[in-house]
Each structure stands twice: as C-alpha cells, then as structure tokens.
C-alpha cells in the first residue's frame, strides 16, 4: 500500500459508508472470505476470529478488550502513516507493533478503508509465501 499521510487523507474523502459500530466486523469478514485460500480459525479461543492464508495470519477480529477491533498486517511506514492520520488506528494489540495495527470502529472509518486494509494485509502475507504455495499472484490482488 505504501501510503503517506497526505495520500491517506485524500482517499478517505472518496471511500463510501462509515463504520462507527459493529460494521467493521461484517465488512472485514466479508472481504477476508473473498480472498483466495482464506480460512477462519479460532486458535486463541472463541473470542478471536483468525483469518489465515496457507497457515499465515493476515487478519484478526476480536472484542477481548471490550471494544471491537480488527488487527491487520501493514508495512512499517504504512503503520506509522495510518496511526498519524487516524485516531481509530493504533499499534496492533498483542502483535508486533511495527508490522501490525488495530483498527477500531469510529464515525470517520470508511468501509472502503477497511476493505483496502484487509486486502493489503492479505497481499503482504501472500508475497512472503514460497511461490509454489501462493494461492494467487499477489500483484493481481485488488
């Protein structure tokens, strides 16, 4: 994704419905299910929906902190830019804070941003898989 603050700001004005309630789960879940080779598991118990591709995590959905959140993988530069731009994006809960961010429901959170973040997280994970294990060419994911 490699977004910088100014690019992130520009995109948010164009991106569909806002998600200030439980819609974050629905949108993230639907997008993750569309990803080729995606499967949802519960290795951390019933309070965690963990989406994997070829055994590697690309999305976590939980409300164990009392607030719904989605946790996604991102490039370190993107993690920083997203956290600077949005008050509803924070370092990833119980994950490597450099490579993961948590996204919380908020009045300014747009549906398309959730979809894009899930897609980019999936793409990052697939890119790291050996070519023979990739369910899809990561450059073709959009």
């Amino acid at each position: 994704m490699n977004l910088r603050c100014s690019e992130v700001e520009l995109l948010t004005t164009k991106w569909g419905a806002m998600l200030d309630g439980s819609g974050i789960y629905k949108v993230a879940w639907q997008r993750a299910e569309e990803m080729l080779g995606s499967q949802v598991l519960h290795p951390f118990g019933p309070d965690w929906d963990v989406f994997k591709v070829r055994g590697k995590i690309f999305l976590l959905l939980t409300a164990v902190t009392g607030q719904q959140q989605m946790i996604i993988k991102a490039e370190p530069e993107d993690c920083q830019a997203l956290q600077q731009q949005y008050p509803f994006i924070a370092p990833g809960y119980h994950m490597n804070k450099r490579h993961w961010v948590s996204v919380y429901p908020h009045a300014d959170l747009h549906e398309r941003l959730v979809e894009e973040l899930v897609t980019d997280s999936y793409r990052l994970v697939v890119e790291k898989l050996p070519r023979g294990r990739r369910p899809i060419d990561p450059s073709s994911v959009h």
Side-chain angles (χ1 to χ4, degrees):
M1 188 151 149
N2 292 326
L3 294 177
R4 301 297 175 253
C5 287
S6 59
E7 293 170 318
V8 171
E9 186 176 77
L10 176 66
L11 290 174
T12 57
T13 60
K14 302 177 183 178
W15 286 19
M18 295 183 194
L19 303 173
D20 59 356
S22 61
I24 191 172
Y25 268 34
K26 180 181 176 189
V27 172
W29 186 289
Q30 287 175 341
R31 184 62 184 142
E33 280 192 325
E34 294 171 357
M35 303 286 100
L36 192 60
S38 170
Q39 62 179 173
V40 64
L41 304 167
H42 299 93
F44 309 126
D47 296 332
W48 287 85
D49 296 320
V50 179
F51 286 85
K52 294 184 175 188
V53 57
R54 301 294 195 253
K56 301 291 184 182
I57 297 172
F58 71 93
L59 170 67
L60 299 102
L61 298 172
T62 188
V64 296
T65 62
Q67 183 178 16
Q68 291 186 354
Q69 64 180 295
M70 77 171 196
I71 306 165
I72 53 99
K73 188 175 186 96
E75 293 287 354
E77 305 83 32
D78 292 339
C79 288
Q80 289 178 348
L82 289 165
Q83 290 174 62
Q84 289 172 359
Q85 181 65 34
Y86 297 112
F88 50 84
I89 297 182
Y93 178 75
H94 274 293
M95 301 298 278
N96 180 316
K97 308 298 187 230
R98 194 163 172 231
H99 297 277
W100 293 84
V101 292
S102 289
V103 182
Y104 298 93
H106 190 275
D108 294 330
L109 175 59
H110 296 268
E111 193 174 298
R112 293 244 348 248
L113 179 59
V114 171
E115 293 170 346
E116 195 67 29
L117 291 171
V118 170
T119 301
D120 286 338
S121 181
Y122 172 87
R123 183 182 306 122
L124 281 173
V125 171
V126 169
E127 284 175 348
K128 300 294 183 193
L129 294 172
R131 289 193 192 279
R133 295 196 61 221
R134 294 178 183 172
I136 193 167
D137 178 0
S139 64
S140 68
V141 179
H142 34 332

